[in-house]
Amino acid sequence: MIIISERINGLFRSVMKAIDNRDESFIQDLARNQVEAGAQILDINTGPGVEDAPEVMTWLVKTIQDAVDAKLSIDTPKLDAMEAGVKAASSSVLINSATAETKKMETLFPMAVEHDSDVICLTLDEKGIPNDATSRCELAMIMVAKAMEYGIGPEKLYLDPLILPVGAAQDQGPKVLEALGMFKAISDPPPKTVVGLSNVSNNTKERPLLNRTYLIMLMASGLDSAIMDPNDTELVAAIKASEVLLNQKLYADDFLRA
Ligand code: THG
């Protein structure tokens, strides 16, 4: 499992405050903490409230890459902020995210080619998020085919079936699991898969339990990476146990510490 840190996101009040104050040391300490906790990739999101998203994204990318070597995931729906983030990065990034909307694909796939980026593809189009697995897979196939036209192979793509909050769309939980299984049959080699895990527990009282339980199910359904909290030690322990039980990591008596 590739762990992608969710924490450098203006949705968190402390991060929003640090962005407002251009507090470099707060952001750099947070980035180091996420890498030490096991994050291999850092998802970077300015949050919805900022006035000049391209300027803030540029500042975040430069500030973070001065502190850590980790790969960055540039998380924004705004094409100008995406371009700013990708250009500010000194090595290749993850573009988070393209969708099946024509304008997004026609802007972001060439950007990915130019900067050798990987791309997260959300199964979503002008009509929104489909409510069944087959329709999610149809959108995934459209994006994989379109990426191929630009010379982007499936190994550069992370398909995201889009997790919704269990309290608001309970019927979608099993459909996301089903979609993950279908994504793996789209191409050979298959595209990678990713989710924003904490979406599932938004506005619930049992966030860690719901996140942990769902992540185990997602892994059994073929999940390769998750945007999540690497400081949730029980969540990370459940990942390690799942990797052993799914025969992805060799069993050892001390696998929790390995
Ligand atoms: N797919 C992809 N990218 C994504 C998502 C996804 N990026 C954003 C999001 N979903 C994943 N990241 C987060 C980050 C924070 C939270 C949830 C998902 C979160 N934050 C607290 C909240 O809103 O309650 C912040 C409040 C606080 O604690 O201060 O839950 O699905 N590709």
Side-chain angles (χ1 to χ4, degrees):
M1 263 278 303
I2 301 169
I3 296 178
I4 306 175
S5 159
E6 70 179 11
R7 201 53 186 73
I8 306 177
N9 189 318
L11 274 178
F12 294 94
R13 295 182 71 88
S14 57
V15 175
M16 196 207 299
K17 212 176 121 214
I19 290 172
D20 283 346
N21 299 330
R22 298 293 188 274
D23 183 345
E24 284 184 12
S25 55
F26 179 94
I27 297 291
Q28 291 180 334
D29 286 346
L30 184 55
R32 280 188 214 102
N33 166 278
Q34 297 300 290
V35 171
E36 276 157 26
Q40 288 155 268
I41 303 178
L42 304 178
D43 190 66
I44 311 297
N45 187 314
T46 64
V50 298
E51 255 174 45
D52 185 349
E55 191 272 322
V56 172
M57 188 63 89
T58 301
W59 176 76
L60 278 172
V61 167
K62 292 194 161 154
T63 301
I64 293 161
Q65 72 190 3
D66 280 349
V68 294
D69 273 334
K71 193 180 183 89
L72 305 183
S73 160
I74 312 297
D75 184 0
T76 175
K78 295 177 182 155
L79 295 171
D80 55 355
M82 182 65 75
E83 185 172 28
V86 172
K87 282 193 166 149
S90 54
S91 50
S92 77
V93 301
L94 198 46
I95 288 178
N96 185 12
S97 50
T99 68
E101 295 161 290
T102 306
K103 168 102 180 49
K104 285 252 165 151
M105 291 191 287
E106 290 182 348
T107 309
L108 295 176
F109 289 153
M111 197 186 291
V113 171
E114 189 185 341
H115 298 276
D116 192 32
S117 315
D118 292 347
V119 187
I120 295 180
C121 297
L122 304 181
T123 56
L124 148 88
D125 68 4
E126 290 83 358
K127 287 173 272 173
I129 306 173
N131 57 22
D132 63 71
T134 308
S135 312
R136 281 180 166 89
C137 195
E138 281 167 9
L139 293 182
M141 286 163 71
I142 288 171
M143 291 183 278
V144 171
K146 189 77 170 175
M148 204 81 86
E149 286 177 27
Y150 289 91
I152 302 171
E155 72 286 350
K156 304 280 286 177
L157 302 179
Y158 289 71
L159 299 179
D160 183 339
L162 280 165
I163 292 179
L164 295 166
V166 65
Q170 196 174 350
D171 67 314
Q172 293 299 303
K175 291 176 179 174
V176 163
L177 300 178
E178 192 188 345
L180 281 176
M182 297 171 81
F183 291 169
K184 286 293 172 187
I186 288 179
S187 63
D188 184 14
K192 295 192 184 77
T193 52
V194 66
V195 295
L197 181 65
S198 303
N199 298 0
V200 78
S201 62
N202 254 323
N203 294 312
T204 67
K205 279 170 105 172
E206 301 287 353
R207 296 202 75 167
L209 175 63
L210 289 167
N211 292 345
R212 181 162 81 242
T213 305
Y214 200 37
L215 188 61
I216 295 165
M217 297 177 186
L218 291 156
M219 285 180 72
S221 303
L223 187 69
D224 300 304
S225 59
I227 303 170
M228 52 167 264
D229 175 8
N231 283 312
D232 182 337
T233 50
E234 288 187 88
L235 178 61
V236 173
I239 290 174
K240 290 183 178 173
S242 297
E243 285 174 336
V244 167
L245 293 166
L246 292 168
N247 196 30
Q248 296 168 352
K249 290 269 167 76
L250 193 60
Y251 174 79
D253 285 341
D254 63 350
F255 73 84
L256 264 190
R257 271 175 293 134

